[in-house]
């Protein structure tokens, strides 16, 4: 009995409490930024991009915040969407637009894990994935510029005129606390049951089964060497670090070349991301946004991300083939 309770606390209770704490911190930060009127200042960092893309000021603010906290940035967008200040079209575009700062958030950790293990291949892999992230943001900027040209619901495109006097910190804090209490209850009402459901699915082996199914059906990757299949399999059934470790062992033994490792890691990135996004991203997204909207954002983000990674992978493969001629 004690062992069961300990297991539940370590794998369900504490992770759920930690998630709610971080959700609360993100929500508090986003609400306080709005109450203090700092949105415009934060938006100034991304103003050239958002002005070109005809995206509203709050998107620029969320873009800037994404470099520090993706959760706070998403909360800022969710608040604007729930209050009708931005349309769903803008919400989806903003979520895709923020892929670049989201990539930078994980870049230092990934860099220091990969470089000691696979050396120069890590720099090529990180350069390609960063290029894909930059490409995603630039392309969304171009798409938004045309998609929002006649969209009155997109939000204010022009910079606002003179503003009313901004509230002091005490007034802003009181307003933030009032809104926080109301919003956090709503977030918890979605997050807790969804997190418990996904925990049950994980314990029942649903996600492990899905990952093994994907790993067993990789025969279509004939253009990748047999050794590379092991790297992809490790990424899909275990985690990214396991795939990197397998790649390091194969490089060390001269069983694979650097470009083969890069291609395998990119393919594994595309194949492993959807299940992990569903398992780890959806529970907290469903707390910030409504469950249906959260599913739409994750689906759009995963499809767009996969297309961009496949594109840079094919371009890299083309460069290798041209150099071999």
């Amino acid at each position: 009995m004690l062992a069961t309770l300990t297991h539940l606390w370590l794998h369900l209770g504490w992770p759920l409490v930690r998630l709610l704490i971080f959700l609360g911190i993100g929500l508090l930060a986003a609400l306080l930024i709005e109450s203090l009127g700092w949105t415009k200042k934060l938006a100034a960092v991304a103003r050239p991009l958002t002005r070109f893309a005809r995206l509203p000021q709050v998107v620029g603010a969320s873009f800037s915040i994404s470099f520090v906290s993706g959760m706070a940035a998403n909360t800022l967008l969710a608040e604007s969407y729930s209050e009708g200040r931005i349309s769903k079209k803008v919400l989806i575009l903003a979520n895709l637009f923020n892929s670049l700062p989201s990539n930078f958030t994980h870049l230092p950790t990934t860099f220091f894990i990969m470089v000691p293990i696979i050396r120069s291949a890590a720099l090529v892999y990180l350069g390609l994935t960063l290029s894909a992230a930059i490409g995603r943001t630039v392309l969304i900027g171009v798409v938004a510029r045309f998609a929002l040209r006649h969209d009155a619901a997109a939000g204010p495109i022009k910079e606002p005129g003179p503003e009313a006097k901004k509230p002091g910190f005490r007034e802003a804090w009181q307003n933030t606390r009032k809104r926080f209490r109301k919003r956090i209850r709503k977030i918890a009402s979605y997050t807790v049951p969804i997190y418990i459901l996904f925990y049950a699915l994980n314990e029942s082996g649903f996600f492990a089964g899905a990952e093994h199914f994907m790993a067993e059906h990789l025969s279509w990757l004939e253009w990748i060497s047999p050794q590379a299949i092991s790297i992809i399999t490790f990424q899909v059934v275990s985690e990214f670090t396991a795939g990197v470790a397998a790649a390091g062992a194969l490089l060390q033994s001269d069983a694979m070349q650097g470009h083969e490792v890069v291609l395998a890691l990119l393919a594994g990135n595309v194949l492993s991301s959807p299940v992990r996004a569903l398992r780890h991203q959806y529970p907290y997204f469903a707390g910030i946004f409504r469950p249906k909207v959260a599913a739409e954002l994750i689906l759009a983000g995963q499809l767009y991300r996969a297309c961009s990674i496949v594109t840079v992978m094919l371009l890299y493969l083309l460069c290798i083939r041209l150099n071999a001629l």
Side-chain angles (χ1 to χ4, degrees):
M1 182 66 179
L2 181 60
T4 302
L5 291 174
T6 302
H7 178 84
L8 283 172
W9 168 250
L10 291 176
H11 295 88
L12 175 61
W14 171 239
L16 180 55
V17 170
R18 185 175 57 189
L19 174 62
L20 290 172
I21 289 172
F22 282 112
L23 276 172
I25 293 171
L27 175 62
L28 198 62
L31 293 176
L32 188 57
I33 286 167
E34 280 193 331
S35 297
L36 287 169
W38 289 354
T39 306
K40 185 177 180 179
K41 293 180 181 178
L42 290 168
V45 176
R47 187 169 295 152
L49 280 172
T50 53
R51 181 176 289 172
F52 170 81
R54 304 180 191 274
L55 288 165
Q57 191 170 272
V58 68
V59 176
S62 72
F63 183 88
S64 301
I65 298 171
S66 289
F67 284 98
V68 180
S69 171
M71 197 171 288
N74 283 324
T75 304
L76 192 62
L77 291 174
E79 285 294 303
S80 297
Y81 175 66
S82 65
E83 293 173 5
R85 287 185 277 126
I86 60 173
S87 65
K88 182 181 281 191
K89 183 194 294 186
V90 172
L91 177 64
I92 293 172
L93 288 170
N95 189 258
L96 298 175
F97 187 74
N98 287 349
S99 62
L100 177 60
S102 299
N103 186 277
F104 269 101
T105 302
H106 304 289
L107 189 61
T109 304
T110 309
F111 177 86
F112 287 109
I113 288 174
M114 293 185 72
V115 170
I117 301 175
I118 59 174
R119 302 181 295 280
S120 60
L123 300 178
V124 177
Y125 172 82
L126 292 172
L128 290 171
T129 53
L130 182 59
S131 298
I134 293 171
R136 288 196 298 271
T137 293
V138 171
L139 182 57
I140 283 298
V142 174
V143 170
R145 181 172 178 81
F146 291 97
L148 302 178
R149 180 182 294 179
H150 304 297
D151 190 356
I157 295 169
K158 296 181 180 179
E159 297 303 324
E163 297 178 353
K165 184 180 178 181
K166 294 178 182 178
F169 184 82
R170 180 176 295 180
E171 183 183 348
W173 177 246
Q174 289 175 349
N175 182 47
T176 298
R177 286 177 57 190
K178 184 179 178 181
R179 295 174 65 193
F180 177 81
R181 284 194 294 266
K182 181 180 178 181
R183 191 85 171 98
I184 195 65
R185 286 195 294 267
K186 188 175 181 180
I187 287 175
S189 69
Y190 283 114
T191 303
V192 172
I194 290 172
Y195 193 93
I196 292 172
L197 172 62
F198 274 68
Y199 168 79
L201 288 172
N202 189 50
E203 288 292 301
S204 68
F206 174 81
F207 292 111
E211 289 169 343
H212 280 288
F213 177 83
M214 292 174 65
E216 289 171 0
H217 293 78
L218 298 176
S219 58
W220 55 275
L221 293 171
E222 296 175 350
W223 50 276
I224 289 182
S225 66
Q227 294 91 340
I229 297 295
S230 64
I231 297 175
I232 298 171
T233 303
F234 272 113
Q235 277 184 268
V236 173
V237 303
S238 182
E239 59 177 16
F240 177 75
T241 308
V244 174
L250 290 167
L251 270 177
Q252 191 70 29
S253 63
D254 294 323
M256 289 183 70
Q257 295 180 0
H259 71 271
E260 292 177 311
V261 165
V262 172
L263 288 170
L265 289 172
L266 288 171
N269 186 316
V270 172
L271 292 170
S272 62
S273 291
V275 175
R276 287 179 188 159
L278 185 64
R279 182 197 296 179
H280 300 296
Q281 198 176 10
Y282 184 73
Y284 100 78
F285 255 55
I288 297 174
F289 307 96
R290 289 186 177 276
K292 181 183 176 182
V293 176
E296 291 171 350
L297 291 175
I298 290 174
L299 179 61
Q302 286 300 308
L303 286 173
Y304 189 47
R305 183 177 179 278
C307 288
S308 68
I309 296 293
V310 169
T311 300
V312 296
M313 182 167 62
L314 292 176
L315 290 173
Y316 180 62
L317 184 61
L318 179 61
C319 290
I320 293 170
R321 295 285 170 85
L322 290 174
N323 288 332
L325 295 177

